[in-house]
Amino acid sequence: MSFVYLCTQNTQYNMSNRTFTMIKPDAVKAGNIGNILQMINAGGFRIVAMKYLKISTEQAEKFYEVHAARPFFGELTQFMSSGPIVAAILEKDNAVADFRKLIGATNPAQAEEGTIRKRYAASIGENAVHGSDSDENAQIEGAFFFSGLEQF
Ligand code: GDP
């Protein structure tokens, strides 16, 4: 069995147990990386991959291309490229649904108490964290930021 085969298999394996997240520029700027990672760990998620980086507006447009027709697309892509972010792949049983629960509603005003967005998000646009909305998107989004060699 080749090394490449094993790496490829690793990114596919247990796909439904993985999700992708970003700590967005507002939360990084506010000094909340540590607090949010603490909540992610306390929520039972294992970090599979993680990096601290700043994306260009073009990369944000590519990442969010499914939202290209939405009225807030320009605002969203400007915001997401306005400062550094933390990108990570997380692992846990039922990762996508459980992480969406942990982060709370898109609009922090509607997010439940104890969720990341309730605690750290200021508005519907600048809402502290991203969480994939399906297993398929978790796989696509994780692969946007990480090669198989960067996932453990
Ligand atoms: P999510 O899955 O909860 O992140 O929400 P969506 O997939 O609907 O939207 C993606 C991201 O676009 C959100 O997390 C927000 O950062 C942003 N967004 C959504 N709705 C709005 C809006 O009405 N105004 C602005 N400025 N940004 C929005």
Side-chain angles (χ1 to χ4, degrees):
M1 196 179 295
S2 78
F3 178 66
V4 170
Y5 174 83
L6 280 170
C7 290
T8 309
Q9 290 305 299
N10 187 42
T11 58
Q12 302 291 330
Y13 186 68
N14 262 350
M15 209 171 88
S16 66
N17 291 345
R18 289 185 177 190
T19 191
F20 172 78
T21 187
M22 291 180 285
I23 301 177
K24 297 186 179 183
D26 58 321
V28 171
K29 223 169 282 172
N32 286 323
I33 295 175
N35 292 330
I36 291 172
L37 289 178
Q38 165 66 29
M39 286 181 76
I40 289 172
N41 280 329
F45 293 87
R46 189 181 75 77
I47 292 167
V48 172
M50 184 159 67
K51 58 176 76 162
Y52 183 53
L53 78 166
K54 186 169 181 290
I55 58 173
S56 66
T57 306
E58 291 71 26
Q59 287 168 325
E61 286 168 355
K62 179 84 188 123
F63 183 86
Y64 282 110
E65 65 186 356
V66 293
H67 292 311
R70 311 273 288 270
F72 56 81
F73 184 66
E75 220 169 284
L76 171 62
T77 53
Q78 284 300 320
F79 164 59
M80 288 304 295
S81 56
S82 68
I85 60 168
V86 175
I89 295 174
L90 306 174
E91 189 173 78
K92 181 187 187 294
D93 285 347
N94 202 31
V96 166
D98 285 1
F99 193 68
R100 298 282 295 183
K101 205 166 170 201
L102 180 65
I103 68 178
T106 309
N107 185 347
Q110 285 154 14
E112 277 183 44
E113 286 301 331
T115 60
I116 294 174
R117 282 171 168 166
K118 184 71 177 182
R119 281 192 197 165
Y120 299 117
S123 68
I124 191 168
E126 304 204 357
N127 59 4
V129 276
H130 168 84
S132 305
D133 63 4
S134 67
D135 290 340
E136 192 194 356
N137 283 338
Q139 213 281 328
I140 293 167
E141 292 170 359
F144 187 91
F145 282 90
F146 300 100
S147 74
L149 292 171
E150 295 172 309
Q151 302 179 34
F152 305 99

